[in-house]
Amino acid sequence: MKKMHDLDVNPLTDIAICCGQTEAFAAAIFAVIDPGDEVVLFDPSYETYEGCITMAGGVPVYVALDPPQWTLCPGKLLKSFTGRTKAIVLNSPHNPTGKVFSKEELEVIAEACCRCNCLAITDEVYEHITFDDRKHISLASLPGMQKRTIITSSLSKTFSVTGWRIGWAIAPAFAASAIRNIHVKITDSAPAPFQEAALTALTSPPEYFEGLKKEYEFKRDFLEKVLTSVGFQIHSKPQGSIFLFAELPKNCLLSDVEYVKELIKEAGVVAVPGCGFFHTKLSMEPSSEASCNYPKRHVRFAFCKSIATLAAAAQKFSDLKNATRYEHPSYTRWLKG
């Protein structure tokens, strides 16, 4: 934390080791959210956040990011705060869009937190996976924010060990103590052998992290080329994370869920429907059909796969495109005209 973000963290009082970021986030929510507390989230958002908040008795309040670049509107953010707001959740780099929040956007969030005296809970699992010279900035590193920020992260994405379940929360001592107490009641401890392995992983040389970025950047570009070749619309190239959030082809008649089902049946390629990440209506023309359908027009693809797997998917997409163009009986289910 000192090397990456110039943050001074007391390892004896400010850290809780948990079973992955998922448990660290849940324990953080259970530790600081009381029934009736409001928690601000950005939409679209990873689906587990809301579940943790509602289990704690909290009330999720969504602020829609503006497509197609998924930008943060300061006015909408400030309007979401009330006297009941207890915390804001920030995931950057962002799942599902691949957005990396800019320093200017982070400053807006930090100012709102300080003005309204609320906490911030961050999910920073993709902190080492950023592209095109974009840098991840932890919200806690901004003035006045370390004392009110709970950082959650893990080994899983950086070191491709999602099954090890080693994550952590880094927080002011009062919050870290509460998180540890919750953690002991939920899972008791994180796997000791993998904690030992984590010590080795975290001392990896800079070359490892640079290589990780380059590898994923290549895979991102490869998948983007594959998807655009079959008509997908990539309005916002991922700046980080391991996901590509693509809009369905303009002339596709299917919803995201229908498309994903057909893709599995016809091509053996699996993706995630975008509608599961949306919770609010987007700030486009209120009465427009596009505004109503936008959440059902996106599909999330993961490129954290081997080159062989990505190449196989590319071939399946190519075969499907040729079949639907010339001879596939269900052509009209995929494309219009």
Side-chain angles (χ1 to χ4, degrees):
M1 296 307 295
K2 181 67 175 177
K3 185 176 181 180
M4 282 189 65
H5 305 298
D6 197 30
L7 293 175
D8 292 311
V9 174
N10 186 327
L12 299 181
T13 61
D14 302 349
I15 299 176
I17 305 299
C18 300
C19 293
Q21 183 277 335
T22 300
E23 193 217 351
F25 181 86
I29 291 292
F30 297 157
V32 301
I33 300 302
D34 293 317
D37 287 343
E38 293 180 353
V39 182
V40 175
L41 304 101
F42 296 109
D43 208 35
S45 69
Y46 184 50
E47 62 267 25
T48 63
Y49 303 148
E50 182 179 288
C52 294
I53 293 165
T54 54
M55 280 192 285
V59 180
V61 176
Y62 285 96
V63 175
L65 298 173
D66 293 336
Q69 302 299 319
W70 309 108
T71 51
L72 171 61
C73 173
K76 286 197 293 185
L77 175 63
L78 292 176
K79 286 180 181 178
S80 71
F81 283 80
T82 72
R84 296 183 298 276
T85 303
K86 183 70 167 288
I88 185 169
V89 172
L90 174 66
N91 170 217
S92 181
H94 185 247
N95 177 7
T97 67
K99 171 185 174 65
V100 174
F101 281 72
S102 68
K103 186 176 181 181
E104 292 73 21
E105 290 175 320
L106 295 177
E107 288 171 344
V108 169
I109 296 168
E111 182 182 354
C113 289
C114 293
R115 181 188 301 178
C116 300
N117 191 30
C118 75
L119 299 169
I121 304 172
T122 67
D123 174 355
E124 303 183 24
V125 294
Y126 305 107
E127 57 193 322
H128 292 288
I129 306 175
T130 57
F131 311 125
D132 305 321
D133 297 322
R134 295 284 297 208
K135 301 294 183 183
H136 166 67
I137 302 173
S138 178
L139 185 63
S141 68
L142 272 63
M145 287 306 295
Q146 185 174 4
K147 65 182 180 181
R148 62 175 72 251
T149 301
I150 300 172
I151 298 169
T152 66
S153 192
S154 77
L155 287 186
S156 296
K157 306 304 190 296
T158 304
F159 298 99
S160 303
V161 288
T162 52
W164 284 16
R165 311 316 304 155
I166 298 294
W168 50 84
I170 299 174
F174 75 90
S177 175
I179 292 168
R180 285 194 297 271
N181 287 337
I182 296 291
H183 162 67
V184 168
K185 302 299 189 296
I186 297 176
T187 62
D188 185 68
S189 63
F194 296 144
Q195 291 194 53
E196 295 286 348
L199 297 177
T200 300
L202 291 171
T203 57
S204 298
E207 292 78 13
Y208 171 78
F209 300 100
E210 288 303 316
L212 181 76
K213 290 183 180 183
K214 289 180 180 178
E215 179 182 352
Y216 276 131
E217 193 168 317
F218 173 82
K219 292 177 177 179
R220 176 203 63 175
D221 294 345
F222 179 88
L223 182 58
E224 181 188 30
K225 185 177 180 180
V226 170
L227 294 177
T228 55
S229 72
V230 294
F232 273 94
Q233 305 169 80
I234 312 296
H235 301 296
S236 179
K237 196 170 186 177
Q239 301 165 331
S241 84
I242 54 176
F243 303 113
L244 205 159
F245 205 45
E247 186 177 359
L248 293 172
K250 288 183 178 180
N251 50 1
C252 178
L253 298 176
L254 305 182
S255 70
D256 57 337
V257 174
E258 292 168 337
Y259 185 94
V260 166
K261 288 181 177 180
E262 289 295 315
L263 190 61
I264 293 170
K265 290 190 294 183
E266 304 294 349
V269 175
V270 181
V272 178
C275 62
F277 300 102
F278 288 99
H279 306 81
T280 59
K281 292 183 179 179
L282 300 173
S283 60
M284 300 170 67
E285 290 297 325
S287 60
S288 71
E289 184 178 349
S291 177
C292 297
N293 294 335
Y294 208 89
K296 297 180 181 180
R297 294 285 301 167
H298 281 76
V299 176
R300 192 195 71 176
F301 292 90
F303 50 85
C304 51
K305 308 295 178 183
S306 69
I307 294 298
T309 297
L310 292 174
Q315 185 60 53
K316 288 176 179 292
F317 268 115
S318 177
D319 294 343
L320 183 63
K321 180 181 179 180
N322 291 334
T324 54
R325 177 177 294 174
Y326 298 116
E327 60 188 28
H328 202 280
S330 57
Y331 172 70
T332 56
R333 290 183 298 174
W334 292 82
L335 298 174
K336 179 181 179 181

